[in-house]
């Protein structure tokens, strides 16, 4: 099942086991069951502390990672390969007593959660965001025996997915009820389970001493800015809703100079690791709502906390642009999706549409065409804007239809899920209907700057206007990355602008040291 190289790596990891781990395997004669048996055999052959027991589980095929000593339970329903192989490796290590890399406060918080929590996390193995959620809940399950988690491969358990009307991943169920959909961090999960956590956290944040540079945003621009500020010896803090930003949702990255190819989650992990090498106070899972000044700049958070700083660097990035048509919000997560790599496998054998004919739209169409029955691409303009090589590839595939001058006017559904859409032919003004099960929206980005309206000067599109040092219209407030009026939105450009803005902030502090 595992190749020689992977076995060698896994054997090295399993040397960290401190106590026995038992694999409870539920399997029949189906091909995926035979694969999970071979996977379990491979794992057990690499460590004397790993044993296998055949059981009749709730789902087949499945493999439960458990500890006879602690009675913790982490289950994988389906074959945990692809993006989820790391989740399996961590489950083995954590169940086997290897230290869990979260704060001591979080460990104690998890250990003392009252009640029983049975999580089920539905994923697709091509989803780059799903492992973060699976691993967060698995860590909780490895700490507290009253918490369990089952990773469910939605593509393998289609009947279950259909019954629960799951059309987006990750989808997390808690004790049989929908708990969360999409990316959710460990901190967010704990805040929801422990109702007093947010207030305690707000109090702790408000007590922090003022910063010299406070970065708002944890994407490439924010990470770069924090590193440059810390290297200058400045007291630096980073506020991030989710560290990594949009990059965490990017699959293939092939234009990051000096790195031939990487993936978004891997780059985000490297970014965070690099930032943590410096004396930077990272405050994740924090949403900023207001920026004011009273001597020092004051940054107010959604939870009520207020942080102070001599300078502020805004790097809040951008998010997927929405169609803003009737039905879009009603069916978001019920057929309307924004991540084809994450949610595409849930539409296997069905008809879908991609809205947008740029690079991201045509790339999505090509990827989806290998999974679904048919893809209809709707482009507002009279021609596609994607690179020629992508256009030729899409046109060579027999199950992609491209329609230009198409303005989507409505998303249709039956109350539970998407059933189609209406669009208007801009050349003839005729209205058309397309029957389908999913709509993937790929029409660009919107800057995350609404909370700054009336505070700093912005373009008509909501981009923060900056000078050649990254300074905004407010002295001492800088900005970088996709939230600004930069000509191009690229990872490497965002990093460069983060460095520029950070150096601009340093220069500002030198010149205003007595203010």
């Amino acid at each position: 099942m595992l190749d020689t190289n992977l076995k060698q790596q896994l054997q090295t990891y399993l040397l960290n086991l401190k106590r026995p781990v038992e694999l409870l395997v539920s399997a029949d004669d189906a091909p995926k069951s035979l694969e999970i048996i071979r996977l379990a055999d491979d794992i057990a052959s690499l460590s004397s502390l790993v044993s296998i027991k055949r059981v009749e589980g709730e789902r087949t095929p499945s493999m439960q990672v458990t500890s006879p000593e602690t009675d913790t339970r982490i289950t994988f329903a389906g074959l945990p390969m692809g993006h989820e192989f790391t989740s399996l490796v961590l489950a083995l290590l954590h169940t086997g007593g290897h230290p869990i890399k979260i704060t001591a406060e979080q460990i104690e918080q998890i250990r003392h959660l009252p009640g029983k929590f049975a999580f089920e996390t539905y994923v697709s193995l091509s989803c780059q965001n799903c492992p973060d959620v699976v691993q967060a809940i698995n860590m909780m399950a490895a700490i507290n025996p009253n918490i369990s988690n089952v990773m469910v491969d939605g593509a393998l358990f289609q009947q279950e997915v259909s019954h629960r009307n799951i059309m987006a991943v990750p989808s997390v169920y808690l004790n049989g009820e929908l708990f969360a959909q999409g990316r959710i961090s460990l901190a967010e999960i704990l805040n929801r389970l422990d109702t007093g956590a947010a207030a305690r956290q707000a109090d702790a944040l408000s007590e922090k001493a003022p910063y010299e540079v406070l970065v708002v945003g944890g994407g490439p621009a924010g990470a770069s800015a924090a590193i440059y500020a810390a290297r200058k010896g400045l007291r630096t803090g980073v506020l991030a809703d989710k560290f990594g930003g949009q990059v965490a949702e990017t699959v293939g990255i092939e234009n990051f100079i000096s790195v031939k190819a990487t993936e978004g989650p891997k780059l985000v992990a490297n970014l965070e690791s690099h930032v943590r090498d410096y004396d930077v106070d990272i405050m994740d899972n924090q949403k900023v709502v207001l920026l004011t000044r009273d001597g020092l700049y004051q940054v107010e958070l959604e939870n009520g906390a207020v942080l102070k700083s001599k300078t502020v660097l805004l790097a809040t990035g951008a998010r997927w642009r929405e169609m803003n048509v009737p039905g879009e919000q009603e069916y978001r997560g019920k057929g309307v999706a924004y991540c084809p790599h994450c949610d595409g496998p849930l539409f296997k054998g069905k008809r879908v549409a991609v809205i947008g004919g740029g690079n991201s739209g045509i790339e999505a169409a090509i990827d989806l065409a290998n999974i679904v029955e048919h893809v209809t691409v709707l482009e507002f303009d009279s021609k596609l804007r994607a690179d020629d090589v992508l256009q030729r590839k899409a046109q060579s595939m027999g199950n992609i239809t491209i329609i230009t001058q198409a303005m989507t006017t409505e998303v249709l559904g039956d109350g539970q899920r998407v059933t189609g859409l209406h669009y208007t032919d801009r050349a003839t003004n005729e209205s058309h209907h397309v029957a389908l099960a999913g709509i993937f929206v790929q029409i660009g980005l919107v800057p995350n700057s609404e909370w700054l309206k009336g505070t700093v000067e912005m373009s008509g599109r909501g981009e923060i206007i900056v000078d050649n040092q990254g300074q905004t219209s407010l002295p001492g407030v800088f900005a970088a990355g996709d939230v600004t009026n930069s000509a191009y939105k690229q990872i490497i450009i965002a990093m460069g602008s983060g460095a520029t803005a950070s150096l601009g902030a340093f220069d500002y502090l030198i010149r205003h040291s007595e203010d």
Side-chain angles (χ1 to χ4, degrees):
M1 180 65 200
L2 300 177
D3 62 34
T4 303
N5 184 47
L6 208 52
K7 277 187 178 181
Q8 290 175 345
Q9 292 181 43
L10 183 56
Q11 188 170 35
T12 302
Y13 289 133
L14 294 181
L15 292 174
N16 294 299
L17 295 181
K18 305 289 192 303
R19 57 178 176 244
V21 172
E22 191 170 44
L23 305 180
L24 306 183
V25 178
S26 176
D28 52 25
D29 295 329
K32 286 296 180 184
S33 285
L34 298 179
E35 288 184 54
I36 210 165
I37 291 171
R38 290 200 298 272
L39 176 60
D41 288 340
D42 282 349
I43 295 169
S45 72
L46 301 176
S47 173
S48 60
L49 288 174
V50 179
S51 61
I52 303 172
K53 182 178 180 181
R54 292 289 294 272
V55 298
E56 192 170 320
E58 182 180 346
R59 297 178 178 88
T60 300
S62 69
M63 178 167 62
Q64 184 175 106
V65 182
T66 185
S67 166
E69 293 184 15
T70 63
D71 195 31
T72 56
R73 297 172 303 286
I74 299 170
T75 306
F76 296 89
L79 193 66
M81 299 301 289
H83 289 299
E84 293 297 347
F85 184 68
T86 301
S87 301
L88 172 62
V89 174
L90 290 173
L92 291 165
L93 293 176
H94 295 157
T95 301
H98 187 63
I100 297 175
K101 294 182 179 180
I102 58 176
T103 67
E105 291 79 11
Q106 286 177 319
I107 290 174
E108 285 305 301
Q109 188 179 6
I110 293 166
R111 187 170 284 137
H112 293 98
L113 284 173
K116 286 189 174 291
F117 304 91
F119 286 97
E120 298 164 294
T121 308
Y122 290 83
V123 307
S124 67
L125 299 183
S126 60
C127 168
Q128 70 273 20
N129 295 321
C130 294
D132 289 342
V133 179
V134 172
Q135 290 162 26
I137 304 175
N138 282 355
M139 285 190 291
M140 295 171 60
I143 293 168
N144 186 336
N146 289 321
I147 301 172
S148 63
N149 187 38
V150 184
M151 180 220 79
V152 184
D153 178 4
L156 187 59
F157 292 88
Q158 285 268 336
Q159 187 173 357
E160 196 170 324
V161 165
S162 179
H163 174 71
R164 279 185 157 167
N165 198 31
I166 295 170
M167 306 189 74
V169 291
S171 285
V172 181
Y173 281 73
L174 173 57
N175 297 335
E177 301 293 330
L178 184 63
F179 177 77
Q181 194 171 71
R183 290 175 64 198
I184 185 169
S185 67
L186 176 62
E188 288 175 294
I189 295 169
L190 290 176
N191 282 345
R192 292 184 60 178
L193 297 180
D194 182 358
T195 54
R200 294 195 303 271
Q201 189 179 68
D203 290 341
L205 289 171
S206 294
E207 292 175 1
K208 289 180 179 286
Y211 297 92
E212 291 176 289
V213 177
L214 183 57
V215 180
V216 182
S224 173
I227 289 170
Y228 269 77
R231 286 177 63 85
K232 291 294 185 182
L234 302 174
R235 174 169 162 74
T236 306
V238 175
L239 287 165
D241 185 6
K242 289 183 175 68
F243 201 94
Q246 280 285 329
V247 176
E249 299 178 11
T250 304
V251 179
I253 299 171
E254 299 178 348
N255 58 356
F256 190 66
I257 309 305
S258 84
V259 179
K260 290 184 178 180
T262 187
E263 294 181 342
K266 184 176 180 180
L267 180 58
V268 167
N270 289 338
L271 281 175
E272 185 169 0
S273 175
H274 195 176
V275 174
R276 290 188 184 279
D277 281 343
Y278 294 89
D279 187 15
V280 175
D281 187 4
I282 298 178
M283 296 159 279
D284 209 354
N285 189 37
Q286 303 300 330
K287 188 173 182 180
V288 180
V289 296
L290 187 64
L291 173 65
T292 58
R293 188 174 191 179
D294 183 11
L296 296 174
Y297 279 104
Q298 299 187 75
V299 175
E300 183 177 338
L301 309 185
E302 191 175 54
N303 62 13
V306 176
L307 297 168
K308 297 179 180 181
S309 183
K310 292 181 179 180
T311 65
V312 175
L313 200 153
L314 306 168
T316 48
R319 63 186 183 279
W320 292 116
R321 185 181 298 276
E322 298 176 348
M323 296 181 291
N324 292 318
V325 299
E328 180 177 17
Q329 294 306 318
E330 180 183 354
Y331 291 102
R332 190 182 183 121
K334 299 177 182 178
V336 175
Y338 302 85
C339 180
H341 299 284
C342 302
D343 300 331
L346 300 178
F347 295 86
K348 183 178 180 180
K350 298 177 181 179
R351 302 178 73 87
V352 302
V354 171
I355 312 300
N359 282 348
S360 60
I362 299 303
E363 286 174 354
I366 293 168
D367 289 342
L368 289 166
N370 293 311
I371 303 170
V372 305
E373 178 187 342
H374 186 270
V375 181
T376 300
V377 176
L378 300 178
E379 164 57 41
F380 184 83
D381 204 350
S382 59
K383 60 182 182 300
L384 298 180
R385 292 165 287 111
D387 295 342
D388 286 343
V389 63
L390 294 174
Q391 292 190 41
R392 289 196 297 272
K393 175 64 176 177
Q395 289 162 354
S396 71
M397 302 182 78
N399 62 339
I400 296 178
T401 298
I402 297 171
I403 303 172
T404 57
Q405 291 193 290
M407 180 175 68
T408 305
T409 56
E410 186 177 4
V411 173
L412 306 172
D414 60 7
Q416 297 295 316
R417 59 183 65 201
V418 165
T419 59
L421 62 75
H422 286 321
Y423 76 90
T424 298
D425 185 327
R426 296 174 57 241
T428 64
N429 207 36
E430 293 178 349
S431 181
H432 299 272
H433 171 74
V434 181
L436 40 78
I439 300 169
F440 291 85
V441 184
Q442 301 283 290
I443 53 175
L445 301 171
V446 178
N448 294 317
S449 61
E450 292 89 346
W451 64 282
L452 290 162
K453 189 174 182 180
T455 304
V456 295
E457 184 181 357
M458 293 189 280
S459 70
R461 291 186 292 181
E463 298 169 324
I464 300 172
I465 297 173
V466 296
D467 64 16
N468 60 3
Q469 288 189 307
Q471 187 163 231
T472 71
S473 57
L474 277 180
V477 176
F478 296 78
D482 287 1
V483 75
T484 70
N485 60 329
S486 62
Y488 305 102
K489 314 301 184 187
Q490 297 288 317
I491 295 170
I492 197 164
I493 292 173
M495 286 183 173
S497 70
T500 297
S502 189
L503 293 172
F506 176 68
D507 185 67
Y508 175 89
L509 287 168
I510 291 174
R511 296 173 188 275
H512 297 81
S513 59
E514 297 181 0
D515 288 1

